[in-house]
Amino acid sequence: PESTLPTRARDIVDELTKGFAFLSGGRGKDNGCIITFPENPHFNQVPQEVLVKVLSYLTRIPSQRESDTKFILILDRRLATWTSVKMTLQRIAASFPGNLHLVMVLRPTGFFQRTFTDIGFRFSQEDFLLKLPVVMLSSVSDLLTYIDEKQLTPEFGGTLEYCHSEWVIFRTAIESFALTVKEIAQMLQTFGMELAEMELPEDIYSIERILALRTEKYYQLKEDITTVTKEGNMLLCSLEEPDTDELGEEQTQERSGDWETVNRLLAQLHEMETAFDGFWEKHQLKMEQYLQLWKFEQHFQEPKYTTLFSSSLRFPSVQKDLTGKAQVMILHGHQLAANHHYALNLICQQCNELRHHSDVLLEEIKRKHNHLQKTLDLLTSLQQCCDEGAYLLANQPMDKCQSREGAQKALQEIEKFLETTVFFHHFHLTKICFGDPQARIQTVQIKLDNVRCMFKNRQACFRKLADKQVRPVQLVAPRPENPPRSKSPLFSPKHGNVHVINELIETERVYVEELFTVLMGYRAEMDNPSMTFLLPPVLQNCKDVLFGNMPEIYDFHNKTFLHLLESCLETPERVGYCFLERVEDFQMYEKYCQNKPRSESLWRQCAESLFFQECQRKLEHKLGLDSYLLKPVQRLTKYQLLLKELLKYSTSCEGVEELQEALVAMLDLLKSVNDSMHQISITGYHGDIGELGKVLMQGSFSVWTGHRKGPTKMKDLARFKPMQRHLFLYEKALVFCKKREDHGDGYDKTSSYSFKNFLKMSAVGITENVKGDHRKFEIWYSGREEVYVVQAQTVDLKMAWLNEIRKILFKQQELIKGTWLLNCSPQAPPELQPKVCECLCECVLIIVSREQTSLFITTS
């Protein structure tokens, strides 16, 4: 079938290379294309399907350039036999696909074969003529009768140059180039359809990604076109444009056919590239404008713009920034319109809307500014009045006011002052200045209330003196108001207590607000799709490392602890209860502090990232995130300072015992946090160190060791240089570590503890006093099989460790006693069970002598 016939040289390159038939480019006098069958003794061995393919391909070449092409065949059979000639003619007659005009056969030149051919052809002439127009030629010179010598190759006495191998190479290259041009055209068409039919996404990130991918593909196609164009130009140079002056019309037409084919393909390629560039330029402009529109609308519809006129008025610090951003948005919209954006009407409409809102906001800012200025003037006036009133009271001569006349004169001074000032009237500042900074208002309100109270008390005192002469009373003259925490005689212990409680509550509110700001302004932004492109890779999925359990801390303070403290405004004596009631909840700070080294390490890797800079800019923070990550640690330290301050003013108040217990609890918590921070630096311990229980104490000691049974001889141990060991006392074990020197520079400077040994507390004994040094004590293990002489830095430190060890050992004693009672044999008389238990508990041995005191508990 026709579909199986070859259309390209490379499909039958092996058959063409054999050269049993070729198209030299020559033409007959009637313009018929010449196909030459050179002398080939193996021609008749060529399979019929191969012959059909080669002839079909050769006849297809000229037929592509002109219709109704005639063909002339030249069969060189001068060395063949009549039998071979006859078979060749028969095969050609059966397989030639084109319009066969003439077949010229150079008959065999041998005497016998020429005779046989003449006789055979004479008898078969009629059969051949019915199928093929055959002409038998005796010599090459007979060809000139039918074909000009310029159209014949040299083997036939002609001048037409032809190299079959070069012809195959050029045909393969030309057809490959044509195929490549066709593929380029299909790729451009496919890409164009993809650009035209793809639905655009509705988020900026996806739009930018698609535009980047399409731009990359466009440049790749441009590179492919450039490569193919270079290939075509090289092929064109190889073919060379023919000289029409030296060649005849027919030969010129044949010689220039391939050159024209390549030149035509190059022209098509150039036209495709030009059209493709124009299409891409329009598409790229449309995509960029689409992206610009999306960014413009996103900024326009951003929450801080949509709430511009409902909530921004409550925050004067951001009002001017918002109006500035609105003006930038309007300018951006005008630039888009000036560049002939396709959404011109929509952009102009939104710019007009934004300009209207901006004008409204500017008017409101002006009104707000005037209101705030009046409020500020009022607050300043009230503070000045309070200071003048306090100064008046402090400078009244109290010794001269003990008489009736002196009291009346002082009372008149007070009343005259009150008539000329406004602070005595009962202003409610929170109502007058609603929406203004509440911290300053509350400070002024407290100051105002205190001064009112002082004037009221002073007036009452002077009225009594003016109405009735009494024995002179030595009063303490008040002084102008000092900072709340100073020991001013202006305040009684109760007033100082209140001031500290106010400071505790106010700083707690600020602390909760700061935690909320960090969680919303930084942590939540890590999940914001519009900010993810700024997020460094090292921060991906690392929120819990950077912020630790800060969300848990915030929930505790915001939902629980702040409300407990606020309830103490009316009942200050309950402050201690608040801390004691929630002392277990404060253990969450230990987890936060243990994570702090990992958090700081992560922060140092990405502190300069654009993500944190943008978050800080939005929050308008002067300090970086690292300063706010330190807030929980600072707050934990602040509590014990405030509790100490409360105790100063609460020596004779109700609830002082609870305050003292709360202070102890917070100091213990700080110690526990510090100990746990050291614990996380232990390296080399195989197992779960959490199974050893809670860290009770930790510190550095000088240690001598011995490993033998029997009493320890100090003179033997003293011969050896002591080891420096860092000890960790857990509920269930005593761990020995070696402290490694700090390594690294700056922020990276850290300490670590290399694990060396541990002793189970169930097999530990102690000798409290060791001869020679009051700072030393002895720890022995498993019946003195291992002995450790430990030297503390001070006697107090030694006693603190011995006290903790005693607590553990006596706790184990009670546990053994209770376990035995539960498992006591029911066969023993009840009255004897306590005695038996007491005897068993004598496993606790206390040995007292002039030299040493030992305590050992066994669990056998």
Side-chain angles (χ1 to χ4, degrees):
E2 186 175 352
S3 60
T4 62
L5 296 178
T7 59
R8 294 177 295 180
R10 70 176 185 180
D11 296 336
I12 55 171
V13 66
D14 293 336
E15 290 81 357
L16 288 175
T17 305
K18 293 177 180 178
F20 59 80
F22 60 82
L23 189 67
S24 64
R27 288 180 178 268
K29 294 181 178 180
D30 56 356
N31 203 31
C33 293
I34 298 175
I35 297 179
T36 303
F37 290 81
E39 180 63 47
N40 191 333
H42 304 293
F43 177 79
N44 290 327
Q45 297 176 7
V46 175
Q48 185 66 20
E49 62 272 14
V50 174
L51 179 61
V52 171
K53 290 181 179 180
V54 172
L55 292 178
S56 299
Y57 177 74
L58 294 177
T59 56
R60 186 188 298 269
I61 295 173
S63 299
Q64 292 176 344
R65 293 194 290 265
E66 57 185 80
S67 60
D68 196 21
T69 305
K70 298 178 182 180
F71 292 94
I72 299 174
L73 306 186
I74 299 179
L75 273 68
D76 185 3
R77 291 298 180 263
R78 287 176 286 182
L79 300 179
T81 63
W82 163 244
T83 304
S84 175
V85 173
K86 183 179 180 180
M87 184 178 297
T88 299
L89 292 173
Q90 289 174 344
R91 296 186 67 187
I92 291 175
S95 58
F96 194 79
N99 182 8
L100 188 55
H101 178 64
L102 181 63
V103 178
M104 291 181 285
V105 181
L106 288 173
R107 64 182 180 177
T109 57
F111 176 75
F112 292 106
Q113 292 301 326
R114 182 177 59 187
T115 304
F116 290 150
T117 301
D118 291 341
I119 297 172
F121 183 69
R122 188 177 298 115
F123 286 101
S124 306
Q125 186 174 5
E126 295 182 358
D127 295 336
F128 283 118
L129 290 175
L130 294 175
K131 300 178 181 179
L132 298 173
V134 180
V135 177
M136 283 291 178
L137 303 176
S138 298
S139 63
V140 172
S141 58
D142 295 341
L143 281 173
L144 299 177
T145 307
Y146 300 93
I147 304 173
D148 188 273
E149 63 178 358
K150 294 180 179 180
Q151 304 297 324
L152 292 174
T153 54
E155 63 265 30
F156 297 124
T159 60
L160 179 63
E161 296 294 335
Y162 174 77
C163 178
H164 186 64
S165 59
E166 291 182 359
W167 182 87
V168 173
I169 292 173
F170 276 116
R171 287 305 306 174
T172 304
I174 292 171
E175 292 173 357
S176 176
F177 177 66
L179 179 62
T180 303
V181 172
K182 183 179 179 181
E183 291 175 348
I184 289 291
Q186 292 175 346
M187 291 167 61
L188 296 181
Q189 183 180 8
T190 302
F191 184 58
M193 293 178 62
E194 178 184 341
L195 297 183
E197 296 177 359
M198 178 177 288
E199 295 184 2
L200 295 177
E202 296 184 355
D203 64 277
I204 292 178
Y205 173 77
S206 300
I207 297 172
E208 290 176 337
R209 178 171 175 79
I210 288 178
L211 181 58
L213 292 175
R214 289 182 176 180
T215 304
E216 181 181 359
K217 190 170 183 180
Y218 164 75
Y219 284 112
Q220 182 62 48
L221 287 172
K222 286 285 291 182
E223 185 177 348
D224 293 342
I225 293 174
T226 302
T227 302
V228 174
T229 302
K230 290 181 180 179
E231 179 185 336
N233 287 326
M234 292 177 61
L235 183 59
L236 196 65
C237 292
S238 300
L239 291 172
E240 296 183 356
E241 186 175 4
D243 188 354
T244 57
D245 296 334
E246 298 181 0
L247 299 177
E249 180 181 353
E250 297 175 355
Q251 189 174 0
T252 299
Q253 181 181 359
E254 183 64 33
R255 289 284 301 277
S256 64
D258 292 340
W259 185 91
E260 289 178 353
T261 299
V262 176
N263 191 48
R264 175 174 49 81
L265 291 172
L266 283 172
Q268 292 176 358
L269 190 61
H270 178 69
E271 291 175 0
M272 287 189 296
E273 182 179 12
T274 302
F276 177 63
D277 288 340
F279 175 78
W280 169 254
E281 183 177 351
K282 294 179 181 179
H283 175 78
Q284 186 181 35
L285 177 61
K286 183 178 179 181
M287 285 290 293
E288 289 176 348
Q289 289 184 346
Y290 182 74
L291 180 60
Q292 291 169 353
L293 180 62
W294 259 99
K295 289 182 177 179
F296 181 80
E297 289 186 337
Q298 184 187 51
H299 292 159
F300 183 81
Q301 297 172 359
E302 200 170 275
K304 63 184 178 184
Y305 287 109
T306 56
T307 60
L308 191 66
F309 317 103
S310 59
S311 61
S312 64
L313 298 179
R314 298 173 55 193
F315 306 100
S317 60
V318 301
Q319 292 172 349
K320 291 187 178 180
D321 182 50
L322 289 176
T323 55
K325 290 179 179 179
Q327 294 300 324
V328 172
M329 283 287 298
I330 295 172
L331 178 61
H332 185 204
H334 288 167
Q335 291 174 344
L336 294 179
N339 292 329
H340 306 288
H341 197 283
Y342 69 86
L344 177 63
N345 295 334
L346 176 61
I347 294 174
C348 291
Q349 177 185 351
Q350 291 181 339
C351 286
N352 293 335
E353 180 183 350
L354 193 58
R355 183 182 293 107
H356 170 71
H357 290 319
S358 179
D359 293 341
V360 172
L361 181 60
L362 288 173
E363 288 296 325
E364 189 62 29
I365 289 175
K366 184 177 180 181
R367 187 191 66 80
K368 185 72 171 180
H369 179 270
N370 295 333
H371 172 71
L372 289 176
Q373 186 61 48
K374 292 179 181 179
T375 302
L376 179 61
D377 294 342
L378 175 60
L379 293 176
T380 304
S381 175
L382 288 175
Q383 285 183 311
Q384 184 177 359
C385 290
C386 289
D387 293 338
E388 291 175 357
Y391 183 81
L392 171 66
L393 296 179
N395 287 278
Q396 283 186 325
M398 300 303 296
D399 54 340
K400 298 181 180 179
C401 297
Q402 303 304 310
S403 64
R404 181 185 182 92
E405 293 76 10
Q408 288 178 343
K409 183 178 179 181
L411 190 59
Q412 289 174 357
E413 290 178 354
I414 292 175
E415 291 174 349
K416 181 178 179 181
F417 175 79
L418 294 178
E419 290 176 358
T420 59
T421 57
V422 297
F423 80 91
F424 190 72
H425 305 286
H426 293 279
F427 290 111
H428 296 284
L429 295 180
T430 55
K431 295 181 180 180
I432 294 175
C433 308
F434 178 76
D436 295 324
Q438 295 297 311
R440 182 170 182 180
I441 293 174
Q442 187 173 12
T443 301
V444 175
Q445 184 69 57
I446 293 174
K447 188 173 184 179
L448 187 60
D449 293 341
N450 289 334
V451 176
R452 285 173 180 165
C453 182
M454 287 189 295
F455 267 87
K456 185 178 179 180
N457 293 336
R458 183 65 63 87
Q459 283 178 307
C461 178
F462 285 159
R463 285 193 181 105
K464 290 181 180 179
L465 291 173
D467 293 341
K468 181 181 179 180
Q469 182 65 39
V470 295
R471 185 177 60 184
V473 178
Q474 184 67 33
L475 299 178
V476 178
R479 300 176 184 176
E481 183 182 2
N482 290 324
R485 294 178 59 184
S486 65
K487 295 182 179 179
S488 171
L490 191 65
F491 298 103
S492 66
K494 183 176 180 181
H495 288 141
N497 194 326
V498 172
H499 275 281
V500 177
I501 292 176
N502 286 335
E503 180 182 357
L504 173 62
I505 295 174
E506 284 305 313
T507 54
E508 184 73 12
R509 289 171 180 163
V510 173
Y511 175 55
V512 170
E513 182 179 350
E514 288 176 336
L515 293 182
F516 177 78
T517 302
V518 171
L519 294 176
M520 292 297 102
Y522 286 97
R523 192 177 188 274
E525 287 295 288
M526 294 176 71
D527 297 325
N528 185 352
S530 64
M531 294 283 287
T532 52
F533 72 98
L534 295 176
L535 196 66
V538 72
L539 277 181
Q540 298 289 341
N541 302 318
C542 288
K543 289 192 299 185
D544 293 337
V545 176
L546 184 61
F547 297 95
N549 62 329
M550 184 181 285
E552 180 185 10
I553 295 175
Y554 169 73
D555 287 340
F556 164 64
H557 285 272
N558 182 52
K559 297 178 180 179
T560 304
F561 195 63
L562 177 59
H563 298 298
L564 289 176
L565 292 180
E566 288 176 336
S567 67
C568 295
L569 278 173
E570 301 297 331
T571 55
E573 65 276 4
R574 289 193 53 82
V575 172
Y577 286 104
C578 293
F579 282 90
L580 294 176
E581 183 181 355
R582 294 293 175 177
V583 67
E584 294 297 328
D585 292 322
F586 278 98
Q587 296 298 323
M588 65 181 68
Y589 278 88
E590 186 171 325
K591 180 180 178 181
Y592 184 85
C593 294
Q594 288 178 350
N595 179 71
K596 200 69 176 66
R598 296 176 61 206
S599 174
E600 291 174 350
S601 176
L602 182 60
W603 165 255
R604 289 193 296 271
Q605 298 179 49
C606 50
E608 302 299 327
S609 71
L610 293 177
F611 174 80
F612 290 122
Q613 294 178 15
E614 179 64 14
C615 291
Q616 184 175 347
R617 185 191 67 79
K618 289 183 178 180
L619 293 172
E620 299 181 348
H621 282 178
K622 295 182 179 179
L623 301 177
L625 174 61
D626 55 330
S627 299
Y628 289 91
L629 293 177
L630 197 60
K631 292 291 182 180
V633 181
Q634 296 172 337
R635 187 59 181 171
L636 193 61
T637 307
K638 183 73 172 180
Y639 284 132
Q640 55 94 13
L641 296 176
L642 291 172
L643 289 173
K644 287 179 180 178
E645 194 71 14
L646 275 175
L647 282 171
K648 291 181 182 179
Y649 296 104
S650 307
T651 54
S652 60
C653 298
E654 181 183 354
V656 65
E657 294 83 1
E658 288 75 13
L659 273 178
Q660 185 63 47
E661 292 179 15
L663 175 59
V664 172
M666 297 309 294
L667 290 174
D668 289 344
L669 177 60
L670 285 173
K671 178 181 176 300
S672 177
V673 169
N674 182 58
D675 292 343
S676 66
M677 292 293 289
H678 286 274
Q679 172 191 294
I680 63 175
S681 300
I682 295 177
T683 61
Y685 180 81
H686 300 291
D688 184 4
I689 202 166
E691 296 179 353
L692 302 182
K694 183 180 179 181
V695 182
L696 301 178
M697 299 192 78
Q698 56 82 27
S700 296
F701 296 87
S702 298
V703 179
W704 292 264
T705 62
H707 297 276
R708 63 179 179 274
K709 294 182 179 179
T712 303
K713 296 182 179 179
M714 286 306 303
K715 64 180 181 179
D716 295 333
L717 293 176
R719 295 173 184 171
F720 300 96
K721 183 179 179 180
M723 298 178 294
Q724 298 302 315
R725 289 291 182 263
H726 201 90
L727 273 58
F728 291 85
L729 179 61
Y730 291 85
E731 293 174 319
K732 297 181 181 179
L734 180 64
V735 176
F736 290 77
C737 296
K738 182 176 181 180
K739 185 177 182 180
R740 299 297 181 185
E741 294 297 329
D742 296 347
H743 58 276
D745 297 322
Y747 287 110
D748 295 327
K749 198 170 185 180
T750 58
S751 299
S752 63
Y753 303 96
S754 178
F755 172 78
K756 293 299 181 181
N757 190 20
F758 84 102
L759 310 177
K760 293 182 178 179
M761 294 304 295
S762 58
V764 164
I766 58 173
T767 301
E768 297 184 358
N769 296 313
V770 176
K771 184 178 179 180
D773 194 330
H774 294 297
R775 297 174 298 168
K776 292 181 180 179
F777 62 97
E778 192 177 75
I779 300 174
W780 31 283
Y781 190 63
S782 297
R784 300 189 68 85
E785 183 161 337
E786 298 179 23
V787 179
Y788 301 86
V789 176
V790 180
Q791 178 181 309
Q793 295 180 358
T794 63
V795 176
D796 291 339
L797 181 60
K798 163 191 167 180
M799 297 309 299
W801 274 75
L802 289 175
N803 288 336
E804 286 295 332
I805 295 175
R806 282 197 208 100
K807 291 179 183 179
I808 297 175
L809 298 182
F810 280 116
K811 185 176 181 181
Q812 291 178 352
Q813 174 193 359
E814 295 298 325
L815 182 62
I816 296 170
K817 181 177 179 180
T819 303
W820 187 88
L821 287 175
L822 290 175
N823 298 302
C824 185
S825 172
Q827 297 177 357
E831 63 274 9
L832 295 180
Q833 289 181 6
K835 294 184 178 180
V836 174
C837 179
E838 182 178 354
C839 292
L840 289 176
C841 287
E842 288 181 356
C843 58
V844 181
L845 305 176
I846 302 179
I847 305 172
V848 181
S849 68
R850 288 176 298 175
E851 296 183 356
Q852 63 182 19
T853 301
S854 300
L855 175 63
F856 177 60
I857 293 182
T858 63
T859 57
S860 59

